Amino acid sequence: GENVEQHPSTLSVQEGDSAVIKCTYSDSASNYFPWYKQELGKRPQLIIDIRSNVGEKKDQRIAVTLNKTAKHFSLHITETQPEDSAVYFCAASKQAGTALIFGKGTTLSVSS
Amino acid sequence: DAGVIQSPRHEVTEMGQEVTLRCKPISGHDYLFWYRQTMMRGLELLIYFNNNVPIDDSGMPEDRFSAKMPNASFSTLKIQPSEPRDSAVYFCASRARGSGELFFGEGSRLTVL
């Protein structure tokens, strides 16, 4: 089955800096790669996703890149703000009705 | 829609007791998932259903865990007997057919003493 590795497990940055979180996956048939943000004590929520037919997607300060050959994808957050502090999870799945398999999460701390 | 609804939000029980967690998915969603979250293991998939039928239960830890979905608007996850290592936050999530996005409930925090 699919296995998703995520690094780093913790990341501390200063406000205004960029943050990058990286994930690798094992199943070459996976073609959907979302990122979820979980604030303390809250539920995970989708912030951005990418499908295998594109290499990059942006939404304001966040972007995701995908390298299918190397089987890795990354989340980039620019101009970080304290409210970006949360746990971020990457995930992977095959499109046709299978479950998301999550990485173990990255705790991002943004200090002002 | 009120979103995915889980109950109870918090449960504290003693080892050996039966625990039942409940979930109401978003109306019209065809898929329902149960995940378990711990610090050590992150978000682990336990089981998921499509149109009320279990599709993959390979993540269920052992025979003490069971899940049912008797209809499109209700699912249960049961642990019997419970053990301290079952302490975790259990999330239910649902998804519409053709969509990738999972909508999570607020979770049920289980503590087994």
Side-chain angles (χ1 to χ4, degrees), chain A residues 79-101:
Chain A
E79 301 172 24
T80 54
Q81 301 168 2
E83 51 266 39
D84 295 328
S85 298
V87 180
Y88 292 82
F89 292 95
C90 63
S93 76
K94 299 169 208 176
Q95 202 78 21
T98 58
L100 284 178
I101 303 301

Side-chain angles (χ1 to χ4, degrees), chain A residues 32 36 38 41-46 49 51 89 93 95-104, chain B residues 4 9 31 33 35 37 40-43 45 48 91 95 98-106:
Chain A
Y32 175 65
Y36 283 74
Q38 185 181 29
K42 301 287 183 65
R43 72 190 86 186
Q45 292 187 290
L46 178 71
D49 58 11
R51 299 179 191 275
F89 292 95
S93 76
Q95 202 78 21
T98 58
L100 284 178
I101 303 301
F102 286 88
K104 289 190 178 179
Chain B
V4 176
R9 292 292 313 282
Y31 292 87
F33 304 83
Y35 286 89
Q37 184 175 28
M40 290 298 295
R41 302 173 72 94
L43 275 166
L45 175 67
Y48 77 99
F91 283 103
R95 190 184 84 198
S99 169
E101 183 173 2
L102 286 185
F103 291 84
F104 284 84
E106 293 185 287

Side-chain angles (χ1 to χ4, degrees), chain A residues 8 12-13 16 26 29 32 35-37 42 45 62 65 67 73 75 78 81 84 87 89 91 94-96:
Chain A
S12 296
V13 299
S26 61
Y32 175 65
W35 288 85
Y36 283 74
K37 176 183 180 182
K42 301 287 183 65
Q45 292 187 290
I62 60 174
T65 59
N67 182 328
F73 55 113
L75 177 72
T78 58
Q81 301 168 2
D84 295 328
V87 180
F89 292 95
K94 299 169 208 176
Q95 202 78 21

Side-chain angles (χ1 to χ4, degrees), chain B residues 59-94:
Chain B
M60 297 285 263
E62 48 199 90
D63 291 347
R64 298 184 298 107
F65 285 68
S66 62
K68 294 182 180 179
M69 191 166 186
N71 58 61
S73 58
F74 184 65
S75 177
T76 60
L77 178 67
K78 187 172 291 187
I79 308 172
Q80 166 64 16
S82 57
E83 296 183 3
R85 60 191 167 124
D86 301 330
S87 297
V89 179
Y90 291 80
F91 283 103
C92 175
S94 69

Side-chain angles (χ1 to χ4, degrees), chain A residues 23-43:
Chain A
C23 290
T24 60
Y25 61 98
S26 61
D27 190 342
S28 56
S30 290
N31 53 17
Y32 175 65
F33 308 94
W35 288 85
Y36 283 74
K37 176 183 180 182
Q38 185 181 29
E39 296 177 352
L40 189 63
K42 301 287 183 65
R43 72 190 86 186

